[in-house]
Amino acid sequence: MTGTSRIRPRERDVILQALAAGVVPRVGLQHVQVGRAAEVEALVRDVERVVAGGATIRFVIGEYGAGKTFFLNLVRLIALERKCITLHADLAPDRRLHASAGQARGLYAEAVRNMATRTRPNGGALPSVVERFVTDCVNEASNNARPVERVVDDRLAHLQEYIGGYDYATVLKAYWRGSEEGDENLKDAALRWLRGEYSTKTEARQALGVRNIIGDNDVYDALKLLAAFVRLAGYAGLFIVFDEMVNLYKLQSSQARNQNFEQILRILNDVLQGNVGGIGFAFGGTPEFLMDTRRGLYSYAALQSRLAENSFARDGLVDLSGPIVRLQNLTPEDLLILLAKIRAIFALGDPSNYLVPDDALPMFMQHCNRHVGEAYFRTPRNTIKAFVQFLAVLEQNPETKWQNLIGDMEVALDAEAAMDLELGDEGGGSNDDLSSIRL
């Protein structure tokens, strides 16, 4: 039965704590990866395109439980390994791509707070990125006997070619001045501006001397500026993950939906036409978000024509060259492999320390099938939680026979999953839902 590679005790504990809580672990995703080699390969090529100075956009589409969150998290980690910077955020009623009451700025601020690098994979990397840029400028000035301010100006000159680039460069220079003068307030003000946390222009002007802020209408332009800046700071590119795009589908106002769809169209056009570089986008959403002709992306004619899928890709044939990546639901075979991987994680990858034999895995699945039905693999959060708890008891009570424990175990249908099944899966599921463990 499939195992996993050797795993560090600390990583083991983090993974098992996440699985026991019903969420996707933030580390060690390779230890719970199953299948989906073609899709992963396609997204790896996307990351390589970003590293090479190109741009990419993907819509990762799947039903609740099909694995969107896990897939997007894995792609984000791949981008980090390729020396990219990543941003990620979930859309919500108070966070979307376009708005007039701060919701778009809120999405941008959340994404930048989650900025990650290979050395800061859990977010909060903006200060270190800006500090690296400043340090590189100081070192270059020292090596070439040039004024630091001249080096900073020369490096940031490229940013002024972008919309809003002059203010962006001004704020970065303010951070450098704060670093030179030991003014922590000035540095903090610059970081606040870069994170989109100023809500009024007056406040930003008083703190930094700039006339503009990153507002609801500037989110995409700010992301392009950020992509250009991180390359100046020595990183390979910027990869952005926005999940729970179904929240746009849920907007009641058709005008609000269309304004958000216009932003998506703008991004899509820029990427497909080669107008941007060093930046990649991955959006996670449900089939309704994509295909509903009343409220989904297909309700916007320009997006429907650009996102129409290859008509020849049918009867099991796939085409991963377009923007759409469809994820199928978890299968019983996938879940069996996943349970084997969890067993191996408990044993730190050592087969001699397995808590249960191979026979226990299909027996456990049969027990879940009898108690829950096919939802045990379609939305398997509670199944995985129960398996982790099952192994935890065996680990702490070695005298217990696993056969007796399975017979006494209760596995309930996930209440959230049950609701989605009844509603036809209109797009439920939290971003960190364990149902997402599918690759």
Side-chain angles (χ1 to χ4, degrees), residues 51-251:
V51 172
T56 182
I57 184 170
R58 292 283 185 169
F59 296 83
V60 179
I61 303 299
E63 298 281 0
Y64 171 74
K68 297 183 294 297
T69 297
F70 185 79
F71 188 84
L72 291 171
N73 282 346
L74 183 67
V75 172
R76 191 172 62 82
L77 293 179
I78 291 171
L80 291 177
E81 288 299 316
R82 299 301 194 276
K83 299 182 180 180
C84 288
I85 283 179
T86 67
L87 306 181
H88 69 276
D90 296 343
L91 272 71
D94 61 341
R95 293 197 296 265
R96 51 185 190 257
L97 292 171
H98 184 279
S100 58
Q103 296 96 330
R105 183 171 61 84
L107 176 68
Y108 176 85
E110 177 68 13
V112 176
R113 279 193 292 270
N114 292 330
M115 176 186 285
T117 62
R118 187 164 56 172
T119 57
R120 296 286 298 272
N122 295 321
L126 178 63
S128 62
V129 173
V130 178
E131 194 65 39
R132 173 174 172 174
F133 170 78
V134 170
T135 302
D136 287 348
C137 289
V138 172
N139 291 338
E140 181 180 337
S142 176
N143 293 335
N144 298 315
R146 299 179 62 201
V148 178
E149 187 170 5
R150 178 64 63 84
V151 174
V152 173
D153 285 337
D154 289 348
R155 287 202 177 192
L156 295 180
H158 174 61
L159 295 185
Q160 298 184 32
E161 300 172 3
Y162 294 82
I163 297 174
Y166 180 81
D167 286 328
Y168 211 90
T170 300
V171 170
L172 289 168
K173 287 180 64 177
Y175 184 94
W176 165 72
R177 289 199 309 273
S179 181
E180 288 283 297
E181 299 166 5
D183 189 341
E184 294 298 324
N185 290 332
L186 185 57
K187 291 169 63 177
D188 290 343
L191 292 174
R192 278 190 63 198
W193 193 96
L194 293 170
R195 284 193 292 258
E197 294 178 354
Y198 280 107
S199 58
T200 66
K201 296 179 181 179
T202 301
E203 188 182 7
R205 185 168 63 250
Q206 292 173 346
L208 296 163
V210 294
R211 295 185 175 274
N212 295 299
I213 60 174
I214 297 172
D216 284 332
N217 297 323
D218 311 305
V219 168
Y220 177 45
D221 291 324
L223 290 173
K224 290 194 291 185
L225 275 165
L226 185 56
F229 169 64
V230 300
R231 290 173 72 85
L232 291 178
Y235 295 89
L238 181 68
F239 200 89
I240 301 161
V241 173
F242 287 147
D243 203 357
E244 302 297 336
M245 294 292 287
V246 71
N247 280 287
L248 300 183
Y249 166 80
K250 293 178 179 179
L251 290 174

Side-chain angles (χ1 to χ4, degrees), residues 301-318:
L303 284 173
Q304 182 176 8
S305 64
R306 287 163 176 77
L307 297 177
E309 298 177 75
N310 190 334
S311 60
F312 293 99
R314 60 180 188 272
D315 300 327
L317 302 177
V318 296

